[in-house]
Amino acid sequence: MIKKEIAHIRKQFKMDTEMLHIFDIFNVYIMKENNEIYHYERHPFALLDREKQELYMANFKKLLTGELDQKMFELKFQEEAEQPTQVLLHQGLVTGNAEEWQDLMLLLVEKMLVDTKYEQDMVVTFVRGQYSKPTKSRNEDAMESEKNEMFANLFILCSINSTEKQRKTLMFDYVEREYKYNFIADPIVKLNTPEQGFFYPSVTDNYSDMNRILYCAGKAHEPNPHFIDKVLNAEQTVTALEERAMFEDIVKEVAGEHLDAATIAQVYEEIHRVIESNEEEEPPKLDYRDVERMLSVSGVEDVTLEKVERAFQNVVDDKNYELKASSVIPKFTSKSIKIDTKVATITVSPQDLKYVRQVNYQGKRCIMIEVDEDVVIEGFTLNTETL
């Protein structure tokens, strides 16, 4: 699954679109006190009030928002799992019976309750439906709309949301012209901040991939290992943050702890070049051979293929591991690198890191930044000193 496929799916979760049809919605309320199902109900989505539909659509779009390998993770199902979730989801996907789909989703909720203690009441929402995508891009000169030829994919989406109690408030009654104490005991379902969820099945080249599922975490870099393993029965994932740490440890083992900014900048430029020149649908990956080439081109001394291969083995415990190129580099065109010092915090983009130096001036370490124009601070232009 790639970014543009997720972006297309997310874009469809809006009102009055021909590209998305949600058949049924199924809500399950879980009480935190006894960790049991308190209530559940299923409705045809089209019969909900429009205001409710809009709230749910916003929730589903929020769930599917985020970067791959940071907030959303495409996972493979475990090959040998007892009562595999893949089977439940596949049966729920292909059944035309709404009641059977509900029963299957209840079995999945029961898996969510095992060895899990929720801190608030929770609401688990399932929807099943179908989204469509043109087989090719729209040709403006064509006589007929190319929407006549479509990929159609069935899906099940699950959003897990916490609840919160409403606050005690003081309200003003316009009719009676008096202030009144207001308290409503009914909890609010926090649809704008889903805790986690999933979209099944994943999609590869516009075709449904029944062996993979898109897991959506509530916060970036914080997937729920228990949910992935015990509920989804999927293989554990590595976040982009973890892969970046792996890459940094590999480089440190090969090149040492100390590198100048120009070398680091050159390494990032080499990785960015790989990403930009990639013509495949799948995002590019880096093995130990790629890393060896990048370090050598960037001017790191005494780099050998054997050193890098050994570093992969020591850090990742797999010399043939492949790092996703997009995971190991900060956002290239934004100020994504933070330099913290005692007196200031400086942010620069990877492409501008080459203008930064750490120098020794009169026995003191200093940060030197090359600039093209005068520096203005609080309206005052700084004098230029010659060292």
Side-chain angles (χ1 to χ4, degrees), residues 14 50 65 81 88 120 129 135 187 189 211 318 321 323 352 356:
K14 59 185 177 182
R50 185 176 179 87
T65 299
L88 294 178
Q120 300 92 23
T135 56
V189 182
N211 296 316
D318 181 4
Y321 187 85
L323 300 159
D352 292 331
V356 179

Side-chain angles (χ1 to χ4, degrees), residues 8 12 18-21 130-134 150-153:
H8 172 78
Q12 305 318 312
E18 299 177 359
M19 307 289 280
L20 176 75
H21 298 283
Q130 177 178 287
Y131 71 92
S132 303
K133 185 178 181 182
M150 310 283 281
F151 290 106
N153 301 75

